[in-house]
Amino acid sequence: MQIEINRAVIELAQGDITEQDTDAIVNAANESLLGGGGVDGAIHRAAGPQLLAECRTLGGCVTGDAKITRGYKLRAKYVIHAVGPVYYDGTRGEAELLASAYRRALDLAHAHQLASVAFPAISTGVYGYPMAAAARVAFATIREFLQTHAAPTLLRMVLYDARALQTHERVLQEFLAA
Ligand code: AR6
């Protein structure tokens, strides 16, 4: 599924974020930026040890923020490490923090004049954010960003399994109809 907002394309795809050929891929990182499981582990494995070496120089990253590194052995030239929130019950600022992580990642892509970025569903794995609610935050944040920025022009949400893809398709349809 693919839609257009202000001449930018938002695309939903099922797959592995490490294989994307976008200018940058976004990592669902933790505050240490020193690797972990899930997407983070997969990205570090695929990029090679130089990625961890660069991450060590960054001094971590607070929740809701993002930092950029090179992509090393990845097809993507850059990795944008975004730290989403751990989900408790939705009353601890989780939505604002998740929106901030997406916004900061988009800011970095814009500042580096990147045309294309691939995002995983940040916080929806180990961090426990409900998938549909997280998708609403992601789409709302991306749409708001594109209203004031002309780049990036391709934003690909890469969902790991069919169920995550279906949830994102449903939420995006609801979002467009609203
Ligand atoms: N490509 C695309 N999506 C993936 C991939 C992949 N290769 N692997 C998993 N997913 P998670 P979080 C999906 O847990 O919730 C790490 O240990 C997965 O199905 O990777 O933000 C970090 O170091 C889920 O929908 O990230 C942090 O400590 C989504 O990606 C913590 O996990 C995010 O799952 C961050 O937790």
Side-chain angles (χ1 to χ4, degrees):
M1 180 175 176
Q2 174 170 309
I3 66 150
E4 226 181 279
I5 295 179
N6 282 357
R7 274 170 285 170
V9 171
I10 300 179
E11 195 173 273
L12 304 184
Q14 189 182 338
D16 181 342
I17 192 117
T18 65
E19 292 168 6
Q20 302 303 310
D21 60 359
T22 41
D23 294 330
I25 61 171
V26 175
N27 183 13
N30 60 56
E31 288 193 333
S32 78
L33 295 186
L34 299 180
V39 180
D40 200 1
I43 289 175
H44 276 273
R45 272 193 301 280
Q50 286 173 294
L51 179 61
L52 182 59
E54 184 175 354
C55 283
R56 284 192 199 286
T57 68
L58 300 177
C61 180
V62 297
T63 300
D65 200 0
K67 293 196 176 173
I68 191 165
T69 64
R70 289 169 57 196
Y72 299 100
K73 290 197 213 154
L74 293 165
R75 295 171 75 185
K77 195 166 175 209
Y78 296 96
V79 179
I80 299 173
H81 305 263
V83 183
V86 174
Y87 188 88
Y88 294 99
D89 56 5
T91 69
R92 305 196 192 186
E94 292 97 328
E96 292 76 11
L97 289 166
L98 184 61
S100 174
Y102 275 97
R103 201 176 307 116
R104 291 290 303 129
L106 289 163
D107 280 339
L108 285 170
H110 185 262
H112 284 76
Q113 301 180 314
L114 307 185
S116 57
V117 185
F119 285 88
I122 299 170
S123 283
T124 64
V126 176
Y127 281 0
Y129 210 115
M131 188 72 76
R136 274 181 218 110
V137 171
F139 295 139
T141 308
I142 289 169
R143 179 168 68 182
E144 198 185 325
F145 187 87
L146 292 176
Q147 270 149 14
T148 49
H149 298 78
T153 51
L154 172 65
L155 298 101
R156 185 181 294 152
M157 297 282 307
V158 180
L159 293 323
Y160 206 39
D161 54 37
R163 204 186 147 104
L165 176 63
Q166 279 158 18
T167 301
H168 279 73
E169 285 174 343
R170 175 174 57 76
V171 170
L172 187 54
Q173 266 149 10
E174 286 167 8
F175 192 77
L176 293 174

